[in-house]
């Protein structure tokens, strides 16, 4: 038999002295502090319950007693302590109840997607592609939320992160093509000046071996670094062509739709047949050739692609 739940009446009578600080909730959050607030699994349970309440009845906040019962904690003092640790950053109190802040909603979505937990592992196993450098078979692996494609001689062809929820129930080739889709979308957004991760403004840059702080390659590369979330995108300059409409149309005309190729396969990504024709301002020339026909394009220092005349 369950002991009587004597706290129910007093449940909602929390001192409201700090309630006013709830309005600061949607402002800047120190990430390490925010994640420290999620160190106890009970707090994650609270966020989950508030998220499901949010789905059921978006406008109404949830009362303390109701929330505590849904989370399944009998000790109201202990529950209040954990709930308070979530206040401001993730949870706010208004209209006599609790609801998630915008950060809270995003955090629950990330937790449910498995971003902050360990995901499954797939592979390594060969996939239907080969290395452009040495023609050995391409090998894919999905581990720790990251999809990587290398070859048997360890040339790195492609690497992209993918939340475990996206990889659940998928085969390795499906995970690879999903990671490629994410990558294409991220390149597109980054070249439009928007961080693919957090939507803050970013400045994409094309760097050459001379001014690259992390020279990974002798060929010019695309670099995007977000000051807001720390997100980074690193790839060859050919990535800019992957999402260019003129290049896509050229490939289609030659019966090789670009989105049917793996992102590492087009010659303009794989080859180093890329020429720096001007340094200041930077201009890189790339000749895209299929079946003997060439589309000549330029890429500027911000990664913008244009078709060269003549
Ligand atoms: Zn190789
Ligand atoms: Zn960002």
């Amino acid at each position: 038999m369950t002991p009587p739940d004597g706290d129910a009446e007093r449940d909602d009578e929390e001192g409201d002295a700090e309630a006013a600080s709830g309005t600061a909730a949607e402002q800047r959050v120190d990430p390490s502090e925010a994640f420290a607030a999620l160190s106890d699994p009970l707090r994650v349970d609270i966020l989950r319950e508030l998220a499901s309440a949010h789905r059921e009845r978006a406008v109404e906040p949830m009362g303390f007693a109701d929330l505590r019962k849904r989370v399944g904690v009998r000790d109201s003092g202990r529950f209040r302590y954990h709930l308070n640790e979530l206040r401001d950053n993730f949870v706010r109190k208004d209209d006599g109840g609790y609801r998630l802040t915008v950060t809270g909603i995003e955090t629950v979505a990330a937790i449910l997607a498995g971003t902050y937990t360990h995901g499954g592992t797939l592979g390594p196993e060969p996939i239907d592609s080969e290395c452009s450098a040495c023609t050995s078979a391409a090998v894919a692996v999905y581990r720790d939320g990251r999809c990587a494609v290398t070859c048997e001689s360890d040339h790195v062809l492609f690497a992209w992160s993918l939340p475990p929820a996206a990889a659940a129930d998928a085969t390795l080739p499906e995970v690879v093509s999903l990671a490629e889709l994410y990558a294409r979308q991220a390149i597109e957004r980054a070249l439009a000046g928007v961080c693919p991760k957090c939507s803050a403004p970013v400045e994409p840059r094309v760097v050459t071996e001379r001014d690259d702080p992390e020279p990974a390659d002798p060929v010019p590369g695309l670099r995007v670094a977000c000051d807001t979330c720390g997100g980074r995108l690193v790839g060859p300059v050919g990535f800019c062509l992957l999402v260019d409409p003129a290049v896509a149309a050229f490939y289609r005309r030659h019966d090789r739709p670009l989105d049917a190729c793996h992102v590492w396969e087009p010659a303009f990504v794989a080859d180093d047949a890329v020429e720096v024709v001007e340094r200041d301002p930077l201009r890189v020339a790339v000749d895209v050739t299929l079946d003997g026909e060439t589309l000549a394009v330029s890429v500027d220092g911000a990664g913008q692609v244009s078709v060269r005349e003549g």
Side-chain angles (χ1 to χ4, degrees), residues 11 40 55 88 93 144 155 167 184 189 201 213-214 247-248 254 275 280 290 293:
D11 262 354
D40 192 297
R55 285 191 294 271
D88 297 351
K93 186 179 182 189
D144 297 331
H155 294 121
R184 288 177 207 260
R189 298 190 76 194
E214 302 162 62
V247 175
H254 287 271
E275 197 192 347
D280 194 18
L290 286 178
E293 193 194 341

Side-chain angles (χ1 to χ4, degrees), residues 195-200 202 226-231:
C195 173
K197 265 194 179 159
C198 77
S199 302
V202 288
C226 176
D227 291 337
T228 305
C229 74

Side-chain angles (χ1 to χ4, degrees), residues 6-53:
D7 272 337
E9 289 81 1
R10 300 193 279 114
D11 262 354
D12 213 4
E13 296 315 308
E14 183 183 2
D16 257 5
E18 56 177 330
S21 68
T23 51
E26 323 277 329
Q27 289 163 19
R28 294 259 159 235
V29 175
D30 173 1
S32 58
E33 236 175 70
F35 287 105
L38 295 180
S39 57
D40 192 297
L42 173 58
R43 297 180 199 163
V44 176
D45 290 343
I46 294 173
L47 293 184
R48 276 184 212 267
E49 282 308 322
L50 283 172
S52 76

Side-chain angles (χ1 to χ4, degrees), residues 33 39 83 115 138 143 253 257 277 296:
E33 236 175 70
S39 57
L83 181 58
T115 307
R143 189 185 292 139
R253 220 166 46 240
V277 287

Side-chain angles (χ1 to χ4, degrees), residues 24-31 34-35 38 47 86 88-92 99-111 116:
E26 323 277 329
Q27 289 163 19
R28 294 259 159 235
V29 175
D30 173 1
F35 287 105
L38 295 180
L47 293 184
L86 294 169
D88 297 351
N89 282 345
F90 302 103
V91 173
R92 71 191 152 89
R99 59 171 96 232
L100 292 174
T101 62
V102 172
T103 305
I105 292 167
E106 284 172 0
T107 305
V108 176
I111 289 168
Y116 302 126

Side-chain angles (χ1 to χ4, degrees), residues 186-209:
I187 294 164
E188 217 165 8
R189 298 190 76 194
L191 289 179
V194 177
C195 173
K197 265 194 179 159
C198 77
S199 302
V202 288
E203 283 181 20
R205 288 196 311 140
V206 173
V207 296
T208 62
E209 77 285 6

Side-chain angles (χ1 to χ4, degrees), residues 131-136 151-155 157:
C131 175
S132 51
C134 70
T135 71
S136 67
C151 77
E152 286 160 351
S153 322
D154 284 335
H155 294 121
L157 302 175

